[in-house]
């Protein structure tokens, strides 16, 4: 009985016998492509797709073929309506026609060296054997060819050829070929008709009617003499407009044909009258009235002496505009003839008054001055030096050094108390930049003081009305509650308009600095110096006496604090009851003393136990001090520039409390 191994050997032997037979027979004899395509490739590039295409159709589609060679140069010759272009079916460099040839494109342009594209494509030659096509054009053009393969590849352009369309000449047109129907509408215009080509014989009877004649088409020179007679002229056809100037002379007028009834009003003017034609006998009495006289027709030379008297002059007929300049002088005016009532409100407005006294009148508007130059006074509703809307009086001294006059001005001044009406007196300006020109301001106070009648005045040294950043001198008349005083102050613009004041009043004299640090009073007892930290009384009899606090009287000494200040405890530390309070104080020499005993919880062995709140009491650099404890352990206390008081214990618990003793440090170095 055969074993499994024997069966396997038989199967292998059968397969070896079948292999030669299979290699000799066709593998596609009975094959088909079901719902697919066979792709042909070359060098990894798809060249053709046989079978079902991507759009669902079934075909043999050649793709990615080689670039075809460029066609040979075409021939171009003139033709009616364009250029006849021919291709001989050859390719450049004697290349054979490609087997995937599709067509040859014909491109044309009027520009030499043009780049072919869709806009220049005119037609195609479909046969690889060549052919001739017509390129329509009415101007000379260049033509070239491009070959296309079935896969859409385009060759390089061929060499271009040039030609122009053939001209149409008479010899090329047979007699009778161009008839009436061959002409387009409006093809024959006046410019195409030779002179004299159309004569009377060519015009049919009654062909030219009135509607065919344009306005003014028939002119007088086209009419034979005597062609137009009376019967041919319609009634009212000829008016004065159709008669040329001087066309009708006296010879054409019958005797008596023109009378006054035929003359239009104004038809006869002086130009139509001969010299001397109108004499006095021809003018009836009263014929010439004032309305017949032209303006200014009667001049003074035509009026006899004394012909015009007061009787002939109409009341108010002669006004000021009828009088020549300076024609009426004081000699022509009777005494008292011109009174104040005779002057209108604006009669002297804006004018200079010389040697005239005005009584009982009011002069408004404009400026009034006592002279044009030199020493003079000028009154103006506005300040002419800066055009501000403030009434001003200008006082000119006439001095050569005077750049601007002294001014007395009514204005509104902006003060720290609010806007207030003020009278300003400005000294004459001597320098070009207006420096060193003091001003005096007289005011009754501002809104903040209820315009109290204090008689306040101020002297502006720098020309800014005593505002921020300037120095002023101010006088106060005083009241029963506010004493009179003279105050010299310098105000600065920062820090809320702080003022340094030197004040003199009946009760004393004091100086107040800009930062409100100290005041000096001259009293009956002596010179009193007040400071924020205290006060000192310098008396004439007893000398220097310190009333309270400490005062810095030199660069080497420091103002003392005067009080002991507490600390802020940390980590549960507190004041030890019944013992010296833990406090600090700055001494006049700049040293800070720390005293007292602090209670320390048993769990606290290191770290910050208190802080110094006042920065003026802190050391400039860190300090370290040994302190006493009940357990006698080695305890060090560090005092830091940031105000921290730190405990450093390296040998055990503090034992419940810690004494600062007489610990001290410098707060100035």
């Amino acid at each position: 009985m055969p074993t499994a191994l024997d069966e396997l050997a038989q199967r292998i032997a059968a397969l070896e016998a079948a292999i030669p037979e299979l290699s000799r027979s066709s593998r596609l004899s009975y094959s088909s492509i079901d719902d697919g395509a066979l792709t042909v490739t070359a060098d990894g590039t798809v060249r053709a797709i046989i079978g079902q295409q991507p759009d669902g159709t079934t075909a043999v589609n050649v793709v990615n073929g080689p670039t075809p060679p460029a066609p040979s140069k075409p021939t171009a010759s003139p033709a009616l309506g364009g250029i006849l272009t021919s291709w001989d079916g050859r390719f450049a460099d004697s290349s054979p026609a490609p087997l995937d040839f599709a067509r040859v494109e014909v491109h044309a342009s009027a520009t030499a060296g043009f780049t072919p594209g869709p806009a220049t494509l005119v037609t195609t030659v479909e046969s690889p054997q060549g052919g001739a096509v017509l390129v329509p054009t009415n101007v000379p053009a260049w033509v070239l060819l491009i070959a296309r393969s079935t896969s859409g590849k385009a060759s390089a352009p061929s060499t271009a050829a040039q030609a122009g369309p053939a001209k149409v000449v008479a010899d090329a047109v047979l007699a009778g070929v161009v008839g009436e129907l061959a002409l387009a509408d409006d093809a024959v215009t006046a410019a195409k008709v030779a002179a004299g080509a159309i004569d009377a014989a060519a015009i049919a009877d009654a062909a030219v009617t009135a509607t065919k004649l344009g306005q003014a088409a028939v002119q007088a020179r086209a009419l034979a003499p005597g062609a137009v007679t009376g019967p041919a002229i319609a009634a009212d056809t000829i008016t004065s407009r159709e008669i040329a100037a001087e066309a009708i002379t006296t010879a054409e007028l019958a005797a008596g044909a023109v009378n006054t009834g035929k003359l239009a009003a104004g038809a006869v003017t002086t130009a139509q009258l001969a010299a001397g034609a109108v004499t006095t006998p021809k003018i009836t009495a009263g014929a010439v009235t004032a309305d017949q006289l032209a303006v200014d027709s009667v001049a003074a030379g035509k009026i006899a002496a004394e012909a015009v008297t007061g009787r002939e002059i109409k009341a108010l007929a002669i006004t000021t505009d009828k009088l020549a300049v300076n024609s009426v002088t004081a000699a022509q005016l009777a005494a008292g003839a011109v009174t104040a009532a005779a002057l209108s409100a604006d009669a002297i407005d804006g004018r200079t008054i010389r040697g005239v006294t005005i009584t009982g009148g009011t002069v408004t508007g404009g400026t009034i001055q006592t002279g044009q130059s030199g020493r003079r006074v000028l009154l103006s509703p506005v300040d002419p030096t800066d055009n501000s809307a403030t009434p001003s009086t200008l006082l000119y001294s006439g001095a050569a050094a005077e750049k601007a006059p002294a001014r007395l001005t009514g204005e509104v001044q902006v003060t720290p108390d609010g806007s207030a009406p003020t009278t300003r007196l400005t000294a004459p300006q001597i320098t070009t930049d207006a420096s060193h020109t003091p001003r005096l301001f007289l005011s009754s106070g501002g809104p903040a003081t209820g315009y109290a009648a204090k008689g306040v005045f101020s002297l502006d040294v720098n020309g800014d009305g005593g505002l921020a950043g300037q120095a002023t001198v101010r006088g106060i008349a005083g009241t029963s509650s506010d004493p009179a005083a003279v105050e010299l102050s310098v105000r600065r613009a920062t820090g809320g308009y702080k003022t340094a004041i030197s004040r003199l009043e009946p009760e004393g004299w004091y100086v107040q600095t800009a930062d409100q640090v100290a005041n000096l009073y001259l009293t009956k007892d002596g010179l009193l110096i007040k400071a924020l930290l205290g006060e000192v009384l310098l008396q004439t009899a007893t000398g220097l006496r310190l009333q309270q606090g400490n005062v810095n009287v030199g660069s080497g000494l420091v103002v003392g604090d005067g009080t002991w200040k507490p600390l802020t405890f940390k980590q549960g530390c507190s004041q030890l009851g019944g013992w010296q309070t833990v406090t600090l104080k700055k001494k006049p020499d700049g040293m800070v003393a720390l005293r007292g005993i602090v209670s320390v919880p048993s769990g606290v062995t290191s770290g910050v136990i208190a802080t110094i709140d006042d920065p003026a009491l802190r050391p400039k650099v860190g300090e370290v001090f040994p302190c006493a404890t009940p357990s006698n352990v080695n305890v060090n206390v560090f005092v830091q520039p940031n105000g921290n008081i730190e405990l450093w214990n390296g040998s055990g618990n503090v034992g419940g409390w810690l004494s600062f003793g007489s610990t001290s440090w410098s707060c100035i170095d």
Side-chain angles (χ1 to χ4, degrees), residues 64-226:
N64 298 323
T67 300
S72 61
K73 179 180 178 180
T75 60
S77 59
L80 290 177
I83 302 172
L84 184 63
T85 303
S86 300
W87 176 53
D88 57 7
R90 298 182 181 182
F91 293 87
D93 299 329
S94 299
S95 299
L99 297 179
D100 60 349
F101 173 87
R103 62 189 174 277
V104 167
E105 297 176 349
V106 180
H107 293 259
S109 174
T111 303
F114 71 97
T115 300
T120 62
L121 178 61
V122 177
T123 184
T124 60
V125 176
E126 300 296 325
S127 172
Q129 296 180 353
V133 294
L134 178 66
V135 176
T137 180
N138 56 3
V139 295
W142 296 82
V143 293
L144 56 79
L145 306 177
I146 292 178
R148 289 279 181 182
S149 65
T150 55
S151 61
K153 288 292 185 68
S155 70
S158 69
T159 304
Q162 186 191 30
K167 295 181 180 180
V168 178
V169 295
D171 294 341
V173 181
L174 298 177
V177 170
V178 179
E180 179 181 354
L181 298 178
L183 294 176
D185 293 341
D186 300 326
V188 179
T189 61
K192 303 300 183 180
V193 180
I198 300 176
D199 54 14
I203 301 175
D205 294 339
V208 179
T209 62
T211 58
K212 302 298 184 180
L213 297 176
Q215 276 190 324
V218 180
Q219 301 179 1
R221 65 174 178 268
L223 299 175

Side-chain angles (χ1 to χ4, degrees), residues 280-292:
T280 304
K282 301 297 185 181
I283 302 174
T284 60
V288 179
T289 61
D291 56 348
Q292 270 78 46

